[in-house]
Amino acid sequence: TIATGQTLNVGTTGTTSPLNVFGLITGTNGLTISSGSSSLQAVTAAGLITANLGITITTGQTLNVGTSGITSTLNIFGPSNHSGIAKFTGIGNVAAISSTLYVAPSSTAISGALNYYFTHLAQPITTGATTGSAYTLYIADAPSGTITTPYSLFVAAGLSLVQALNVNGLLSANLGITIATGQTLNVGTTGTTS
């Protein structure tokens, strides 16, 4: 028993005096490790864990935020770099804000003649060759089930700009198509059957 207000020191200097605890450590007012490396087999925190210099998860291991349900939030107030696969397996929802992937950029002050990007997919860089196809963004299909109007892609409002468009199925333009002055609309490329 260490008297209240007193200190337990393991060694007085250097780094060669270990303290091995083969049980539970309870820090009623916190636990401070001023320097050096610490190895913990398991940590259960009923409160907040603060890592001033960051957290590194060993290669091949997992960081879990919650174990089930959809109420365990991970907040990141800065850039998030993913060097592997990012997988989202949530369910659909009747509210957009609760969808599996919801992107809502903060209010941005714009000015001048600058371009602003809110969601950007960079060109994938590849090497070698393939006789198959490659996709920067691939949508497998519209939602399955008994749905009156299922869409694979729906742009609710605003202008859309596509540099080149190939349509293998039916193209429906409910409000018509406008061809820019000086440009041509081709229906078929040869023959008389288009």
Side-chain angles (χ1 to χ4, degrees):
T1 300
I2 309 298
T4 301
Q6 301 305 307
T7 303
L8 169 64
N9 293 316
V10 180
T12 55
T13 60
T15 59
T16 58
S17 300
L19 170 64
N20 297 316
V21 179
F22 298 95
L24 178 67
I25 297 178
T26 301
T28 303
N29 293 315
L31 175 65
T32 299
I33 301 174
S34 60
S35 64
S37 298
S38 300
S39 177
L40 303 174
Q41 293 299 319
V43 176
T44 300
L48 178 66
I49 295 179
T50 301
N52 293 332
L53 296 180
I55 296 178
T56 298
I57 308 298
T58 302
T59 301
Q61 302 304 308
T62 303
L63 169 64
N64 293 315
V65 180
T67 55
S68 63
I70 56 173
T71 58
S72 300
T73 303
L74 172 63
N75 295 317
I76 302 175
F77 298 95
S80 176
N81 299 317
H82 297 273
S83 298
I85 297 174
K87 184 181 293 185
F88 300 90
T89 56
I91 61 175
N93 201 290
V94 295
I97 194 173
S98 298
S99 58
T100 303
L101 177 61
Y102 177 69
V103 180
S106 300
S107 177
T108 304
I110 59 176
S111 63
L114 300 174
N115 296 323
Y116 292 84
Y117 304 89
F118 296 97
T119 303
H120 176 75
L121 298 177
Q123 181 187 30
I125 304 302
T126 64
T127 59
T130 179
T131 57
S133 301
Y135 313 95
T136 300
L137 175 64
Y138 181 85
I139 301 175
D141 203 342
S144 64
T146 305
I147 303 173
T148 303
T149 51
Y151 299 104
S152 294
L153 177 65
F154 184 86
V155 180
L159 299 175
S160 298
L161 174 63
V162 179
Q163 294 296 326
L165 179 64
N166 293 323
V167 180
N168 292 328
L170 177 65
L171 176 62
S172 298
N174 293 334
L175 297 180
I177 296 177
T178 299
I179 309 299
T181 301
Q183 301 304 308
T184 303
L185 170 63
N186 293 316
V187 179
T189 55
T190 60
T192 59
T193 58
S194 301

